Amino acid sequence: MSALAPSRLVAAPLEKVRDLGVLRVGLYADNRPWSWSDTPGGRPLGIDAEIARALAEALGVRADIQLFPADEDISDDLRNVVWRGGLLGFQPCDVMLHVPFDRVLMQRENNVVFLAPYYRETFGAACARDGGNCEASPAAFRGRKVAAELASIPDFYLLGHAGGALAKDLVHLPSGYAAAASVADGSADFVVATSAQIEAVVHDYPGAGIKVRKGALPQMMSAGWDIGIAVKENSRTLGFALDAQISRMIADGRMAALFAQQGVAWRPALAAQG
């Protein structure tokens, strides 16, 4: 395959991106409020989609946003989207957004460079207007419908919580946003999802009266993680230019404003503060 199409397997550095006039950006599909499309092949929407457009505009080029389904793990996604391309002919992107900015991952992935941590992801919970005390232990919702994204950290957390007390009550949805939305439409009483997913649903369903948990979830297995961008190892010039632009967006308030469009509060990455 590489012998037949070598040019398709090379991520573009900064000069090439400018010469072509296009920044090809890889974003996750069905990742609301970060990136999604209401129709197949439609205009990509969400926080990451708007960040991608802002980055392309800063470089003086057009954003070509490609939505892709998540593979089994982040290493597969980085291989398919950034440094090699998909086996079915998916062309590598110049940059991928919403990548965990994690030291262990950085040491393992030699083909990519991780840059520009721009947000701190955390988990939270919410309940329906008449769903009870959101600040109570999740086990208090035993016998009621509890929602989570299938095969996610919230799913595993709820399955194991209080010795599996909620296992029979757990409703699985295809995404964290969908899980939070099930509380908004009354089909579930309690949800655990990322804070961004919950905040976006509160924004999108203003009359639902969703109550957001203020306290931390007891024994949650993840305290949160930073997200940033990834470029191919030989595209550092592009990565540094995008890193600088993201820093400007954070400093002048544009980043927080893009998050606010989806009802999400921007939270600085811990790595960016160190």
Side-chain angles (χ1 to χ4, degrees):
M1 179 177 176
S2 60
L4 293 175
S7 64
R8 297 182 65 184
L9 303 182
V10 180
L14 179 60
E15 295 78 9
K16 186 175 181 181
V17 167
R18 285 177 167 157
D19 288 343
L20 294 174
V22 177
L23 178 69
R24 184 174 168 89
V25 184
L27 303 180
Y28 285 109
D30 195 21
N31 192 32
R32 193 167 182 169
W34 300 99
S35 49
W36 81 97
S37 177
D38 287 335
T39 58
R43 176 180 171 85
L45 305 171
I47 297 169
D48 283 339
E50 292 306 317
I51 293 174
R53 294 185 180 101
L55 293 175
E57 181 179 2
L59 296 182
V61 299
R62 174 178 62 85
D64 176 15
I65 300 174
Q66 298 293 317
L67 299 180
F68 64 93
D71 211 317
E72 292 188 4
D73 59 35
I74 183 62
S75 294
D76 293 332
D77 297 335
L78 291 168
R79 180 188 66 242
N80 295 336
V81 179
V82 179
W83 64 267
R84 191 189 71 181
L87 295 178
L88 298 179
F90 181 83
Q91 181 180 352
C93 293
D94 302 311
V95 60
M96 176 178 167
L97 273 60
H98 217 89
V99 177
F101 194 83
D102 177 80
R103 300 296 178 186
V104 175
L105 181 64
M106 292 177 190
Q107 294 174 0
R108 190 174 74 222
E109 299 294 332
N110 298 322
N111 293 302
V112 298
V113 177
F114 300 82
L115 296 160
Y118 60 89
Y119 178 74
R120 180 71 179 178
E121 289 265 30
T122 58
F123 288 111
C127 63
R129 181 183 311 178
D130 57 352
N133 180 12
C134 266
E135 303 304 317
S137 168
F141 289 85
R142 183 174 182 176
R144 310 181 74 169
K145 292 183 178 179
V146 178
E149 177 183 356
L150 178 64
S152 66
I153 290 177
D155 183 12
F156 302 140
Y157 169 75
L158 290 170
L159 282 172
H161 182 70
L166 298 172
K168 294 181 179 179
D169 305 313
L170 194 53
V171 178
H172 291 110
L173 281 301
S175 70
Y177 180 91
S182 71
V183 172
D185 65 24
S187 56
D189 299 298
F190 183 78
V191 62
V192 175
T194 68
S195 297
Q197 290 164 339
I198 292 171
E199 290 168 355
V201 167
V202 171
H203 173 267
D204 294 343
Y205 295 79
I210 302 172
K211 295 187 293 186
V212 179
R213 182 186 177 96
K214 297 179 181 178
L217 288 161
Q219 299 179 320
M220 168 50 76
M221 58 192 72
S222 172
W225 66 101
D226 294 341
I227 59 170
I229 69 173
V231 298
K232 193 174 180 179
E233 198 280 332
N234 66 354
S235 293
R236 292 173 183 267
T237 54
L238 173 62
F240 293 152
L242 297 177
D243 184 293
Q245 181 56 30
I246 285 175
S247 295
R248 295 187 191 101
M249 292 174 66
I250 291 172
D252 64 21
R254 282 180 292 157
M255 185 68 74
L258 290 182
F259 276 70
Q261 291 176 9
Q262 299 295 330
V264 178
W266 174 74
R267 299 173 182 84
L270 293 185
Q273 302 177 59

